[in-house]
C-alpha cells in the first residue's frame, strides 16, 4: 500500500559492522573507473598492496569539500588520498549513481520483484543548510549526471536542507 516504508536501517553488515551511517568514501581504479563506495571501498582499498594502491583514487569525506571550498564550480577537482585528482563532478555523480542503484535494488527486493516505474520516483537529497547556492547547484548537476533527474529543473529531484528533513521526520514519528 501507499503507507509501506522500506528502511535501510544498518550499513556494513556484510563486513560484520552495524552502523546507521555509511562512510562517505569512493574508490576509482588506476583507469579512473568507479570501483566501490562506502565500506566496500574502504575494505578494498585496505586490501590493495601499497604499490598498487598508489595508482588508485581513494576519496574520503569528499562531501565536505563543497562546504570548505570558497568557489564551487562544475569544473573543480578533488584530491585523492595519494594526491592525484579527479573532477569533483565525476566523484559526486558516481557516488549518487551508486546510491540510486542501491535504493532501486532495495525497493525491488522489498517489493517482491514488483516492477517499479522509475519515472514515478522522486529523489530527495539532503544537504547542510550552510552550503552555498553554488554548492546546491553542483549537487543538482551531479544528480542529473547520476540519472536521478532528466534535467536541471526536474520536479523529481528535491534538494532539501538536513535540518528541515530531520524536523519533518520527528514530526512524523
Amino acid at each position: 500500500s501507499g503507507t509501506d516504508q522500506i528502511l535501510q536501517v544498518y550499513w556494513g553488515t556484510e563486513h560484520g559492522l552495524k552502523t546507521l551511517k555509511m562512510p562517505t568514501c569512493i574508490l576509482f581504479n588506476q583507469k579512473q573507473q568507479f570501483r566501490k563506495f562506502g565500506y566496500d571501498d574502504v575494505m578494498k582499498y585496505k586490501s590493495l598492496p601499497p604499490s598498487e594502491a598508489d595508482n588508485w583514487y581513494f576519496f574520503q569525506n569528499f562531501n565536505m569539500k563543497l562546504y570548505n571550498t570558497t568557489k564551487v564550480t562544475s569544473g573543480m577537482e578533488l584530491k585523492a588520498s595519494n594526491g592525484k585528482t579527479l573532477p569533483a563532478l565525476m566523484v559526486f555523480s558516481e557516488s549518487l549513481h551508486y546510491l540510486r542503484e542501491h535504493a532501486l535494488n532495495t525497493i525491488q527486493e522489498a517489493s517482491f520483484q514488483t516492477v517499479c516505474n522509475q519515472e514515478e520516483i522522486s529523489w530527495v537529497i539532503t544537504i547542510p543548510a550552510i552550503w552555498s547556492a553554488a554548492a546546491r547547484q553542483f549537487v543538482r548537476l551531479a544528480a542529473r549526471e547520476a540519472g536521478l533527474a532528466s534535467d536541471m529543473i526536474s520536479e523529481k529531484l528535491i534538494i532539501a536542507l538536513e535540518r528541515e528533513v530531520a524536523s519533518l521526520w520527528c514530526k512524523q514519528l
Side-chain angles (χ1 to χ4, degrees):
S1 73
T3 57
D4 289 346
Q5 291 186 0
I6 302 163
L7 299 176
Q8 170 76 45
V9 183
Y10 297 111
W11 295 95
T13 51
E14 64 276 20
H15 300 292
L17 301 162
K18 195 175 180 183
T19 63
L20 293 169
K21 191 175 185 317
M22 186 191 286
T24 312
C25 305
I26 191 168
L27 183 65
F28 295 84
N29 67 15
Q30 60 270 50
K31 294 180 180 173
Q32 303 183 358
Q33 298 163 324
F34 167 77
R35 284 302 308 271
K36 305 275 183 186
F37 183 85
Y39 286 115
D40 290 340
D41 146 5
V42 175
M43 301 303 179
K44 173 69 178 174
Y45 188 64
K46 284 183 176 177
S47 73
L48 292 170
S51 58
E52 197 178 330
D54 239 16
N55 297 318
W56 288 51
Y57 299 79
F58 177 67
F59 297 90
Q60 199 163 14
N61 298 326
F62 55 88
N63 55 327
M64 289 315 295
K65 291 287 188 261
L66 290 187
Y67 168 57
N68 296 333
T69 306
T70 50
K71 195 167 195 295
V72 175
T73 65
S74 59
M76 64 190 258
E77 302 255 309
L78 289 182
K79 196 175 284 190
S81 58
N82 59 7
K84 293 183 172 193
T85 61
L86 283 181
L89 190 59
M90 176 181 175
V91 174
F92 275 83
S93 65
E94 287 291 354
S95 300
L96 291 171
H97 184 262
Y98 168 85
L99 291 169
R100 173 185 180 270
E101 294 304 303
H102 178 81
L104 291 173
N105 289 336
T106 302
I107 292 166
Q108 191 172 17
E109 285 171 20
S111 306
F112 306 105
Q113 310 305 316
T114 303
V115 177
C116 169
N117 183 357
Q118 293 183 29
E119 311 259 316
E120 294 176 11
I121 297 175
S122 290
W123 298 95
V124 179
I125 300 175
T126 61
I127 62 167
I130 53 176
W131 280 15
S132 67
R136 294 175 196 190
Q137 189 71 355
F138 180 89
V139 170
R140 185 169 280 281
L141 182 59
R144 189 197 70 189
E145 296 281 312
L148 274 73
S150 55
D151 56 60
M152 291 295 282
I153 55 169
S154 172
E155 292 177 2
K156 294 292 182 185
L157 175 64
I158 300 160
I159 308 293
L161 302 182
E162 287 171 351
R163 64 181 180 203
E164 292 176 359
V165 173
S167 173
L168 287 169
W169 179 246
C170 290
K171 197 174 177 183
Q172 183 184 331
L173 292 175

